[in-house]
Amino acid sequence: MRLLLISLPIGLCAAAAPSAAHDSHHAGHAPVKHTQNDDAEVPPPGSNQRLRAPITIAEGLEVIISDVVIPAGAAVPRHYHPGEEFLYVLEGSAVHVQEGQADITLSAGDSYVIPPRAIHSPRGGPDGARAVVFRVHVDGQPERILVPEE
């Protein structure tokens, strides 16, 4: 069930690095929103957005890249995303809890794809987890839509 995407971390690091060439490449397109906390090596718990930009070859879509930190034993509230989510675990481990399927433990070096609108609630492992998350997202929609507990 795990999908290993060898080139994903390299491409994500290159895409997240700000550069003058990057800014000029998007001339004439919607502004690219960069958010970054340069003061901390490890960002705070939660989804720390690093890039949100239009996908110029597909109308109505954008990409969101986030540095996600889940503390040990913490659970992210049930939610879904209006797009596909690709993740690569950098450190630690997390349990991927998704409605309608068995829980999956993802550890450092693992990659995984979450389909659009899949209701999920990841939980940090014994040492917590940190992952790079790349979303192909419906433009103009919230990044995350919370789902009440049943």
Side-chain angles (χ1 to χ4, degrees), residues 3-5 10 16 26 29 56 58 67 71 81 87 91-92 104 106 110 116 118 120 142 146:
L3 176 62
L4 183 59
L5 302 172
I10 296 167
H26 287 285
H29 298 289
T56 58
D67 187 341
H81 304 277
L87 64 91
E91 301 172 4
I104 300 168
L106 300 169
D110 288 342
H120 57 286
L146 295 177

Side-chain angles (χ1 to χ4, degrees), residues 2-13 87-88 109-112:
R2 293 183 186 163
L3 176 62
L4 183 59
L5 302 172
I6 300 299
S7 61
L8 182 62
I10 296 167
L12 290 177
C13 290
L87 64 91
Y88 178 77
D110 288 342
S111 297
Y112 193 74

Side-chain angles (χ1 to χ4, degrees), residues 134-148:
F134 180 98
R135 294 183 187 96
V136 176
H137 191 268
V138 177
D139 188 28
Q141 295 292 308
E143 178 182 351
R144 175 184 308 188
I145 298 165
L146 295 177
V147 176

Side-chain angles (χ1 to χ4, degrees), residues 11-51:
L12 290 177
C13 290
S19 71
H22 174 78
D23 292 337
S24 64
H25 172 73
H26 287 285
H29 298 289
V32 175
K33 298 175 192 170
H34 297 278
T35 55
Q36 187 167 343
N37 180 356
D38 291 326
D39 299 331
E41 264 185 43
V42 175
S47 181
N48 301 280
Q49 191 175 103
R50 297 297 187 215
L51 176 77

